[in-house]
Amino acid sequence: MSDQNVHNAGFTSSGIARGSLASSLMSHEARASGGGVPSGGPTSILQEMGARGTTHSSGYTTSGISGGSKAANTMSKEATSHGGGVPRGGTTSTVQSI
C-alpha cells in the first residue's frame, strides 16, 4: 500500500476529505455500527495512516500482509471473530485493497 493511495482515497493529515472514498467508507461503517465508527475498523486504521502521512511498517503491502506486523495482528483478530475466515468488506480486506 502506498502513502499516495491512502491520501488519494481521502485519508489526510487534516482529516477525512469530504466527498471522498474515505467519507463514503466512514458513513457506511458508522451506519453498520449503529452510528459510530469503531476503533480498529478500516476507517480508523486508514485515517491513522493518513494522519501520520506514512503507511510504512503497517504490514499492508503490495505482496500481501507481512507476517508479524500490525496488519497480521488485525487479520488474525478478524479471522478469529468470524470463525476462521476474513470476510469481504471487513477491516483487513478493505485496508489491504486500498
Side-chain angles (χ1 to χ4, degrees):
M1 174 178 2
S2 77
D3 297 338
Q4 192 61 46
N5 289 351
V6 172
H7 186 265
N8 287 346
F11 298 98
T12 72
S13 59
S14 58
I16 291 178
R18 184 175 299 195
S20 65
L21 173 63
S23 67
S24 177
L25 177 63
M26 182 176 71
S27 175
H28 174 76
E29 195 173 4
R31 281 192 307 270
S33 298
V37 177
S39 176
T43 301
S44 64
I45 290 172
L46 286 163
Q47 183 53 40
E48 179 185 346
M49 290 177 193
R52 283 190 321 227
T54 183
T55 60
H56 301 306
S57 74
S58 64
Y60 296 96
T61 73
T62 56
S63 303
I65 305 270
S66 297
S69 66
K70 181 176 181 177
N73 185 41
T74 301
M75 183 175 70
S76 176
K77 287 179 183 176
E78 189 173 22
T80 299
S81 70
H82 287 92
V86 177
R88 279 193 168 152
T91 300
T92 303
S93 62
T94 301
V95 176
Q96 181 62 31
S97 71
I98 291 174

